[in-house]
Each structure stands twice: as structure tokens, then as C-alpha cells.
């Protein structure tokens, strides 16, 4: 999600927002690696992913173009679902590898 928020900000020529998205996205991912093992066992694993998704959705709705604005724009178009899938797969396996490595170290 961080990558696509960053890419959308770049497309919109919002360079400071793109830079902030990368910085805070990186910090959030590091915080997840550090603090996820400390979360209570009763907390469902999906809760962290759900909150992360809600934050990303709110950022997109607040600071990026809405669907109707993209539809009526001649300058912007929608991301291909295939592109999203092809970017998400390597990021997912990278995240999984880092999590496994962090679990093995601790």
C-alpha cells in the first residue's frame, strides 16, 4: 500500500506528500516488525492488517483523487489490477521473508 500511495502522490505532482509517505510507511513497517511480537495473543492477526488498510484508504480518500475524478479526467487513469497484483506478490514474499528472519533472530 505504501508503494501505491507513494506512486499516486508522484503522479499528482505532490512530491512532499510522496516523500512523507515513503518515510512514514518505512517507519510503520519497522514498527510492525518490532511491536507485533509484543501484541497480546487474544488480538486477531487480521486486526493489524485491517488498521493498516484503513489508514491507507483514509490517506487516499483525503489527499488523492476520488474514483469519479479519475473517471472524468483526461490526464489520469486507473491502475491495472494486474499491475497491482504483480507488485504485491514480490512485496508480500519479501515481507514474509523479513518476518521469518526476524522471528528466527528473536
Amino acid at each position: 500500500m505504501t508503494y501505491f500511495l507513494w506512486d499516486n502522490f508522484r503522479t499528482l505532482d505532490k512530491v512532499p506528500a510522496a516523500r512523507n509517505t515513503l518515510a512514514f510507511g518505512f517507519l510503520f513497517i519497522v514498527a510492525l516488525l518490532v511491536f507485533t511480537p509484543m501484541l497480546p495473543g487474544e488480538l486477531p492477526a487480521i486486526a493489524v492488517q485491517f488498521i493498516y488498510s484503513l489508514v491507507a484508504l483514509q490517506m487516499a480518500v483525503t489527499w488523492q483523487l476520488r474514483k469519479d475524478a479519475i473517471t472524468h479526467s483526461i490526464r489520469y487513469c486507473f491502475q491495472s489490477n494486474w499491475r497491482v497484483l504483480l507488485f504485491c506478490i514480490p512485496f508480500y514474499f519479501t515481507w514474509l521473508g523479513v518476518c521469518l528472519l526476524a522471528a528466527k533472530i528473536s
Side-chain angles (χ1 to χ4, degrees), residues 5-6 9-10 14-26:
L5 287 171
W6 168 79
F9 280 128
R10 270 185 354 141
K14 295 182 176 182
V15 177
R19 200 174 15 248
N20 288 341
T21 300
L22 277 183
F24 288 117
F26 177 76

Side-chain angles (χ1 to χ4, degrees), residues 59-71:
M59 286 178 65
V61 167
T62 303
W63 295 308
Q64 296 182 354
L65 296 178
R66 292 186 174 268
K67 189 174 184 176
D68 58 338
I70 298 169
T71 303

Side-chain angles (χ1 to χ4, degrees), residues 35-50:
F35 293 112
T36 299
M38 298 176 201
L39 293 174
E42 304 85 41
L43 185 70
I46 192 95
V48 174
Q49 298 164 357
F50 184 72

Side-chain angles (χ1 to χ4, degrees), residues 1-9 17-18 21-22 24-26 28-29 32 46-60 64 79 83-84 87-89 91-92 95:
M1 287 185 227
T2 300
Y3 170 79
F4 285 106
L5 287 171
W6 168 79
D7 191 41
N8 289 345
F9 280 128
T21 300
L22 277 183
F24 288 117
F26 177 76
F28 183 75
I29 290 169
L32 277 178
I46 192 95
V48 174
Q49 298 164 357
F50 184 72
I51 292 168
Y52 181 64
S53 298
L54 281 179
V55 169
L57 175 65
Q58 188 59 43
M59 286 178 65
Q64 296 182 354
Q79 299 270 357
R83 181 174 183 257
V84 173
F87 271 85
C88 289
I89 289 172
F91 283 131
Y92 173 75
W95 170 254

Side-chain angles (χ1 to χ4, degrees), residues 18 31 33 100 102:
L33 282 172
L100 291 173

